[in-house]
Amino acid sequence: MTGRRRPASHPVAGLAGPKAEKHVSLALQGGGAHGAFTWGVLDAILEDGRLAIEALSGASAGAMNAVVLCEGWIEGGADGARTKLESFWRAISVDGKYGGSERSLIDTFLGAWSDGRPPGLIWFEMLSKVASPYDVNPLNINPLRGVVADLIDFGKVRACQDVNLFISATNVRTGKIRLFRREELTPDHVMASACLPLLFQAVEIDGQAYWDGGYMGNTALYPLFYEAHCDDILLVQINPLQRKTLPTRAREIQDRLNEITFNASLLRELRAVDFVNRLVDAGKLPTDDYKRVLMHRIDGGPPLAALTSSSRLNADWDFLLRLRDMGRAAARRWLKRNYRAIGETGTLDLKEAIS
């Protein structure tokens, strides 16, 4: 179910600039380097300034974008958030060469990029079938952790009461989603949400082991049903739900399997939204008890869908900038077409999305 009409807690102020007129909750998908598209979407929304962000839900790269945005806003409002997002993506780029030997380890795994293809990827995939990260990366070196720990003041993030922030991870032993909230976040929680099990050892938190949140919630919508007051949820989608072409090569088949796996939980939640909305519209559920969610979506369309799944490992700065610009353009188009609908009606055709 999509939750009560209004949560028991009082509404938060949201990350709102002086021009903010409407509130939304943002759901940010994970997808490796493709998360730079989400960076562009956020950059355009912050630049526009008319939307107040009440809540953020993110998985993997979406979790990183959410935390970076939140901490940047605390430091300097919308401009601070935009600057922080750019600094973060620059730091994790290959050109940034953050982390010295830590970065070199991942470069050794994947090799240098050429024309958007990693020549070391095939070798790495073969190795991963016979050796785990506990064998080839016994020190559990992760260059992203250094970036996250150095760039983000988690004490400030935990203390910020103007936004609800949710990060999802997958419990390795139970196979269930685990939701972490703003007031408990540390670098370990972000790394748990972004832990690719073929690259890194599971992240241990309070005696539990976690992998990438995208497996069970890419991204989790349900906390935005239950713990956000605004009815509007804007999904920033970087994993295509549908593809017109049939994958026939081994790499294409594996890529599509990964996409289907990472989209499964999202489709279930979209079906729940559609089901409850139809019951509310038919008068079979009371609006005092059930929220009629207004779903919206910004995606990259054919240009983003045309990228290979393996390009999610491409951390070349020029590639990240191209994705950012795609995100900015997509967000601007969406705002121009749909801003008036926020607070009034959903702009995502749920039937088309789930059928």
Side-chain angles (χ1 to χ4, degrees):
M1 290 294 137
T2 50
R4 301 192 309 175
R5 178 69 179 174
R6 289 289 177 263
S9 60
H10 295 292
V12 299
L15 305 182
K19 295 194 300 179
E21 301 169 348
K22 300 184 177 185
H23 282 72
V24 297
S25 295
L26 297 182
L28 311 180
Q29 279 197 322
H34 292 187
F37 173 87
T38 302
W39 163 31
V41 170
L42 297 174
D43 189 71
I45 289 174
L46 293 166
E47 181 182 50
D48 181 83
R50 289 177 293 169
L51 294 181
I53 303 170
E54 180 186 351
L56 291 155
S57 177
S60 195
M64 293 185 184
N65 275 319
V67 172
V68 172
L69 185 156
C70 183
E71 202 263 353
W73 185 283
I74 296 168
E75 292 185 352
D79 289 340
R82 296 178 67 194
T83 298
K84 200 74 173 184
L85 283 163
E86 181 172 359
S87 298
F88 171 78
W89 283 97
R90 180 70 188 190
I92 66 173
S93 71
V94 171
D95 294 351
K97 287 294 179 184
Y98 194 96
S101 61
E102 294 185 352
R103 181 83 217 191
S104 298
L105 174 66
I106 305 305
D107 290 345
T108 300
F109 278 155
L110 302 180
W113 283 75
S114 175
D115 298 327
R117 295 186 300 272
L121 183 60
I122 296 177
W123 173 85
F124 170 73
E125 289 178 340
M126 293 176 62
L127 177 64
S128 68
K129 296 182 186 302
V130 296
S132 82
Y134 295 84
D135 300 319
V136 299
N137 186 9
L139 298 180
N140 200 23
I141 296 172
N142 188 336
L144 286 178
R145 196 187 191 288
V147 179
V148 170
D150 287 352
L151 286 184
I152 301 171
D153 185 335
F154 280 85
K156 291 182 178 179
V157 173
R158 291 191 296 270
C160 178
Q161 299 184 9
D162 290 335
V163 64
N164 289 319
L165 179 57
F166 311 98
I167 288 178
S168 59
T170 301
N171 187 304
V172 179
R173 295 184 177 91
T174 67
K176 297 179 180 179
I177 189 172
R178 173 66 161 89
L179 205 67
F180 300 109
R181 289 167 172 79
R182 184 204 68 244
E183 55 268 22
E184 61 184 317
L185 293 182
T186 67
D188 284 340
H189 295 93
V190 176
M191 300 321 302
S193 182
C195 179
L196 295 173
L198 296 181
L199 270 179
F200 306 111
Q201 299 176 24
V203 177
E204 298 275 348
I205 299 175
D206 296 330
Q208 295 295 323
Y210 296 99
W211 283 340
D212 195 298
Y215 290 107
M216 294 306 297
N218 198 22
T219 182
L221 300 182
Y222 73 88
L224 307 179
F225 306 152
Y226 290 99
E227 300 185 45
H229 283 256
C230 68
D231 295 334
D232 294 83
I233 297 177
L234 174 55
L235 168 67
V236 183
Q237 185 173 332
I238 57 179
N239 291 304
L241 290 175
Q242 301 180 6
R243 287 196 181 274
K244 296 181 179 179
T245 58
L246 177 68
T248 56
R249 298 179 180 180
R251 178 70 261 171
E252 295 170 344
I253 293 171
Q254 186 60 55
D255 286 350
R256 187 57 184 151
L257 281 172
N258 289 336
E259 288 175 346
I260 291 172
T261 300
F262 272 65
N263 284 328
S265 59
L266 173 64
L267 284 171
R268 286 195 297 270
E269 292 197 279
L270 290 179
R271 290 190 182 98
V273 172
D274 180 60
F275 178 66
V276 172
N277 282 358
R278 286 189 284 110
L279 291 178
V280 170
D281 291 343
K284 296 180 179 180
L285 289 177
T287 56
D288 288 340
D289 296 321
Y290 291 89
K291 174 184 288 190
R292 192 187 190 288
V293 175
L294 306 180
M295 282 299 307
H296 311 275
R297 179 175 66 188
I298 297 176
D299 60 36
L304 188 59
L307 298 175
T308 63
S309 180
S310 57
S311 67
R312 291 182 174 91
L313 297 171
N314 185 352
D316 180 79
W317 179 238
D318 289 339
F319 179 67
L320 298 180
L321 287 179
R322 180 156 65 95
L323 287 167
R324 180 205 62 183
D325 292 343
M326 289 170 56
R328 281 179 54 82
R332 287 172 171 174
R333 288 193 301 269
W334 187 88
L335 285 166
K336 183 176 181 180
R337 296 171 184 170
N338 300 301
Y339 177 77
R340 292 184 180 179
I342 298 173
E344 303 295 332
T345 185
T347 58
L348 172 62
D349 187 334
L350 289 170
K351 290 184 179 180
E352 180 182 356
I354 64 180
S355 61

